[in-house]
Amino acid sequence: VSNYADVIVMRHYLEGAARYAAEISPVPVINAGDGANQHPTQTLLDLYSIYKTQGTLDNLHIYLVGDLKYGRTVHSLIMAMRHFNPTFHFIAPKELAMPEEYKIYCQNRNIPFVEEEEFNADIIANADILYMTRVQRERFTDLMEYERVKDVYILKASMLKDAKPTMKVLHPLPRVNEIAYDVDDDPHAYYFQQARNGLYARQAIICNTLGITV
């Protein structure tokens, strides 16, 4: 592939695949997601989106909702936000709870976090960022288990009535049914703008990788 390209953007189902490819590729490799591990380009656009909407990255209450076990976007975001004194709220069913390694990661860096299984207007009222994720069917070997948890957390516009005026709802997309369509017109919804921010962030990554400056 490197014979035809100046840079390789790689998405792979195996954790660590992009790192391995980068070790043997003569051209740069950008990780576009490796299994349930990391999604660094998503994290950069998420940081930009958070800063753009909150005016800061410091001292924010960030609520991560849904598939926290396999959700590589939330894993990457935790590691990036460690520089900015966040407080995390992990909202997930036990089957999809945040893996121990990321909780230990927070504990070792004195990052406070709270784990919740309830998802309602009262729980999310103090959020600065509400980061929704989809429950990914392809991650389940037991379809009965998937059916049991897929509809546990659905954000509806009525749940945002007590939210902070500056709070924004983010989602790495695509969504399935974890965000009701009536949220799309709510002023708290920011996920479509977040997706557009991905265009700018990834253009910057590619330019930086190729040594292009403007």
Side-chain angles (χ1 to χ4, degrees):
V1 175
S2 63
N3 289 333
Y4 300 98
D6 297 308
V7 61
I8 296 170
V9 180
M10 180 178 179
R11 172 167 291 185
H12 203 280
Y13 64 92
L14 289 179
E15 290 80 359
R19 180 182 295 273
Y20 175 67
E23 291 175 353
I24 63 174
S25 172
V27 301
V29 175
I30 295 173
N31 184 2
D34 60 329
N37 183 35
Q38 298 288 325
H39 197 345
T41 69
Q42 178 73 44
T43 297
L44 287 176
L45 76 91
D46 289 345
L47 292 177
Y48 175 67
S49 297
I50 293 170
Y51 182 82
K52 191 173 178 67
T53 61
Q54 304 302 309
T56 183
L57 291 171
D58 295 308
N59 304 311
L60 298 176
H61 284 261
I62 299 179
Y63 287 55
L64 307 177
V65 183
D67 183 358
L68 307 187
K69 181 178 181 180
Y70 300 111
R72 57 192 172 204
T73 60
V74 296
H75 299 163
S76 285
L77 187 59
I78 286 173
M79 299 183 75
M81 286 299 299
R82 73 185 185 275
H83 302 289
F84 306 107
N85 194 36
T87 297
F88 286 113
H89 297 251
F90 302 147
I91 303 177
K94 291 180 180 178
E95 296 88 345
L96 298 174
M98 184 64 69
E100 283 298 318
E101 63 187 280
Y102 291 102
K103 290 188 282 187
I104 293 171
Y105 183 91
C106 290
Q107 290 167 346
N108 289 343
R109 289 159 180 80
N110 297 314
I111 300 172
F113 66 87
V114 178
E115 291 189 275
E116 304 271 7
E117 290 189 50
E118 294 293 322
F119 182 55
N120 54 51
D122 292 335
I123 292 290
I124 64 176
N126 194 44
D128 295 303
I129 293 293
L130 183 60
Y131 198 104
M132 302 294 298
T133 66
R134 67 186 175 94
V135 177
Q136 303 171 72
R137 180 177 179 178
E138 60 269 25
R139 302 294 187 188
F140 287 81
T141 55
D142 185 346
L143 289 183
M144 291 292 290
E145 184 179 355
Y146 166 76
E147 291 293 333
R148 194 177 69 80
V149 300
K150 70 174 183 177
D151 295 327
V152 171
Y153 303 129
I154 298 177
L155 179 65
K156 300 175 182 178
S158 60
M159 297 170 62
L160 300 173
K161 58 183 176 62
D162 296 323
K164 293 180 180 180
T166 56
M167 189 276 277
K168 295 300 179 185
V169 180
L170 302 186
H171 191 302
L173 300 180
R175 68 172 160 192
V176 181
N177 62 348
E178 60 280 352
I179 299 179
Y181 287 110
D182 64 359
V183 178
D184 293 353
D185 296 323
D186 191 284
H188 294 96
Y190 192 76
Y191 33 88
F192 295 133
Q193 295 94 322
Q194 176 191 6
R196 177 174 289 276
N197 291 342
L199 173 66
Y200 310 137
R202 286 164 175 140
Q203 284 176 330
I205 292 167
I206 291 172
C207 286
N208 182 70
T209 302
L210 296 177
I212 298 171
T213 58
V214 293

